[in-house]
Amino acid sequence: SVATPGPHLLGNVAIKGNPSFTQIRTITFGLLNEESAPVTGEVWIDELRLGSPRRDRATAYTFNLDFRWTTFLTLTASFSRLQSNFRALQGEGRKSDDKTFVLNLGGDFGSLLPKSWGIRLSGNYLRNDMQSLPLYGSYSDLLLKPDQQLSQKSVAYTRRTSVSFSKSPGSNNFFVKYLLEPFSITGYQSSDYSESPRSVRSYFSRNLSFSHGVKIPWSIKFKKLNITPLPDYRFTGSYNEARNFNRDIMSNIVVKDSVCLLYTSDAADE
């Protein structure tokens, strides 16, 4: 019997969710003879396939790379694989063959320039790839052949790119001091994609933000008056773009949307 009946109820047996023989660990069958005389006959059990014990071998491994070149360049990479049927010391065997690759690359390009220039220029790139080959078919306990695994595989990837630029104050050059030093810019681009036998999803976004501000310390003194003829100035802006796509393969329902925004503002104080 069950405490909470599922959506399908028959007597004291309820079926809830998507049951599968792959979730069963132990099966016990028995016959009880309540008579004193021996009983002979046959017992038929439907929808059950039994064979010799499976002795599949599975491995798991991980490779890591960490490279640094002073403060200019950093690189980290890793690759891991967990094969089907791999079982840790605690837990169940895996039901899929999973591969994961991660790459992270960062650079401080400003460190290559003379320190007196005060240039801060950096960038970063991230890549993440995943592939999963199922051992069984969807909601089934039937083993898939290699070509069937490829047709029902799941993949996902992520890409991230970002850059930034700014300059520290202190230059004696007029054009550098009032044109380049007050300027800063940052930007990034991101994309995510995943695909499985049941759905396809993707998301893309990018952003660019910049600013420029000038305050010229020039004033005119006239008797007891201190006049600042030039106003303070600051200009900022940003550009944002995003796209989203979702498709349910089973129902063939597609949902997609996009947005693009451009924002600017300027201010001047007397």
Side-chain angles (χ1 to χ4, degrees), residues 1-6 8-16:
S1 62
V2 294
T4 304
H8 306 287
L9 184 62
L10 178 61
N12 293 328
V13 178
I15 301 176
K16 184 176 182 180

Coordinates of all heavy atoms in Angstrom, one line a residue, residues 1-6 8-16:
S1 N 0.8 -1.2 0.0 CA 0.0 0.0 0.0 C 0.9 1.2 0.0 O 2.1 1.2 0.3 CB -0.9 0.0 1.2 OG -0.1 0.1 2.4
V2 N 0.3 2.4 -0.3 CA 1.0 3.6 -0.4 C 0.3 4.7 0.5 O -0.9 4.6 0.6 CB 1.2 4.2 -1.8 CG1 2.0 3.2 -2.7 CG2 -0.2 4.3 -2.5
A3 N 1.1 5.6 1.0 CA 0.5 6.6 1.9 C -0.2 7.7 1.1 O -1.2 8.2 1.4 CB 1.6 7.2 2.8
T4 N 0.4 8.0 0.0 CA -0.1 9.1 -0.9 C -0.3 8.5 -2.3 O 0.6 8.3 -3.0 CB 0.9 10.3 -0.9 OG1 1.1 10.7 0.4 CG2 0.3 11.4 -1.7
P5 N -1.6 8.3 -2.7 CA -1.8 7.7 -4.0 C -1.3 8.7 -5.1 O -1.4 9.9 -5.0 CB -3.4 7.6 -4.0 CG -3.8 7.6 -2.6 CD -2.8 8.5 -1.9
G6 N -0.8 8.1 -6.2 CA -0.4 8.9 -7.3 C -1.5 9.2 -8.2 O -2.7 9.0 -7.9
H8 N -2.3 7.5 -10.9 CA -2.9 6.3 -11.4 C -3.0 5.3 -10.2 O -2.0 4.9 -9.7 CB -2.1 5.7 -12.5 CG -1.8 6.7 -13.6 ND1 -2.8 7.1 -14.5 CD2 -0.7 7.3 -14.0 CE1 -2.3 7.9 -15.3 NE2 -1.0 8.1 -15.0
L9 N -4.2 4.9 -9.8 CA -4.4 4.1 -8.6 C -5.2 2.9 -9.0 O -6.2 3.0 -9.7 CB -5.2 4.9 -7.5 CG -5.4 4.2 -6.2 CD1 -4.0 3.9 -5.6 CD2 -6.2 5.1 -5.3
L10 N -4.7 1.7 -8.6 CA -5.4 0.4 -8.8 C -5.3 -0.4 -7.6 O -4.2 -1.0 -7.3 CB -4.8 -0.3 -10.0 CG -5.4 -1.7 -10.4 CD1 -6.9 -1.5 -10.7 CD2 -4.7 -2.3 -11.5
G11 N -6.4 -0.5 -6.8 CA -6.3 -1.2 -5.6 C -5.4 -0.5 -4.6 O -5.5 0.7 -4.3
N12 N -4.4 -1.3 -4.1 CA -3.4 -0.8 -3.2 C -2.1 -0.4 -3.9 O -1.1 -0.1 -3.2 CB -3.1 -1.8 -2.1 CG -4.3 -2.0 -1.2 OD1 -5.1 -1.1 -0.9 ND2 -4.4 -3.3 -0.7
V13 N -2.1 -0.4 -5.2 CA -1.0 -0.1 -6.0 C -1.2 1.3 -6.7 O -2.2 1.5 -7.3 CB -0.6 -1.2 -7.0 CG1 0.6 -0.8 -7.9 CG2 -0.4 -2.5 -6.3
A14 N -0.2 2.1 -6.6 CA -0.2 3.4 -7.2 C 1.0 3.6 -8.1 O 2.1 3.3 -7.7 CB -0.3 4.6 -6.2
I15 N 0.8 4.2 -9.2 CA 1.9 4.6 -10.1 C 2.1 6.1 -10.2 O 1.1 6.8 -10.5 CB 1.7 4.0 -11.5 CG1 1.5 2.5 -11.5 CG2 2.8 4.4 -12.5 CD1 1.2 1.9 -12.8
K16 N 3.2 6.6 -9.8 CA 3.4 8.0 -9.7 C 4.7 8.3 -10.4 O 5.8 7.7 -10.2 CB 3.5 8.5 -8.2 CG 3.6 10.0 -8.1 CD 3.6 10.4 -6.6 CE 3.7 11.9 -6.5 NZ 3.6 12.3 -5.1

